[in-house]
Amino acid sequence: MLDKDEDGFGMEREQVLKEEISGDKTPNDLQAIYDIPVTVSAVLGRATMPINQLLKLGRGAVVELDRKIGDPIDILVNNRLIARGEVVMVDETRLGVTMTEIVKSEN
């Protein structure tokens, strides 16, 4: 027989609450989110310019970015920085990114 507290629920509720608070998750707990699509972006660098300068850009124009050769690139998931990495060649026609550092969340 379960011990009942004043609201009529037994020790089961307390156990469930403890598990929710502890954050102990198993792979089966995460199964529900595995198919949610996310957008992954690799940002080589950024540039800020006035609109009139942007409108003057044409084919072959060079936009100087805020990064240098060899600097790590930012890897974003849904526009949130999650890692830094390096550009790598996948084959003769495709580029990829290898993660070199996981960025800790500030939240």
Side-chain angles (χ1 to χ4, degrees):
M1 186 164 169
L2 291 173
D3 294 332
K4 302 265 185 183
D5 54 17
E6 62 234 19
D7 60 6
F9 291 99
M11 297 301 286
E12 286 179 16
R13 181 183 69 142
E14 186 176 322
Q15 181 63 29
V16 169
L17 289 175
K18 283 181 183 176
E19 288 173 5
E20 287 177 3
I21 292 170
S22 71
D24 293 338
K25 300 292 181 199
T26 65
N28 289 337
D29 294 333
L30 299 175
Q31 196 72 30
I33 65 169
Y34 284 168
D35 292 330
I36 296 173
V38 295
T39 302
V40 179
S41 306
V43 179
L44 297 174
R46 300 177 193 274
T48 303
M49 64 179 66
I51 291 177
N52 67 346
Q53 187 179 355
L54 177 67
L55 294 173
K56 291 178 186 176
L57 295 177
R59 180 177 218 144
V62 175
V63 176
E64 188 175 338
L65 302 176
D66 62 351
R67 303 277 171 91
K68 295 178 176 62
I69 293 175
D71 282 353
I73 62 169
D74 291 339
I75 301 169
L76 296 98
V77 173
N78 289 346
N79 292 322
R80 173 175 254 180
L81 179 66
I82 59 123
R84 292 204 172 78
E86 297 175 352
V87 177
V88 295
M89 292 287 294
V90 175
D91 57 32
E92 293 83 30
T93 60
R94 299 183 324 165
L95 297 174
V97 177
T98 181
M99 284 194 273
T100 57
E101 170 191 359
I102 303 295
V103 176
K104 299 287 186 199
S105 175
E106 294 177 7
N107 294 345

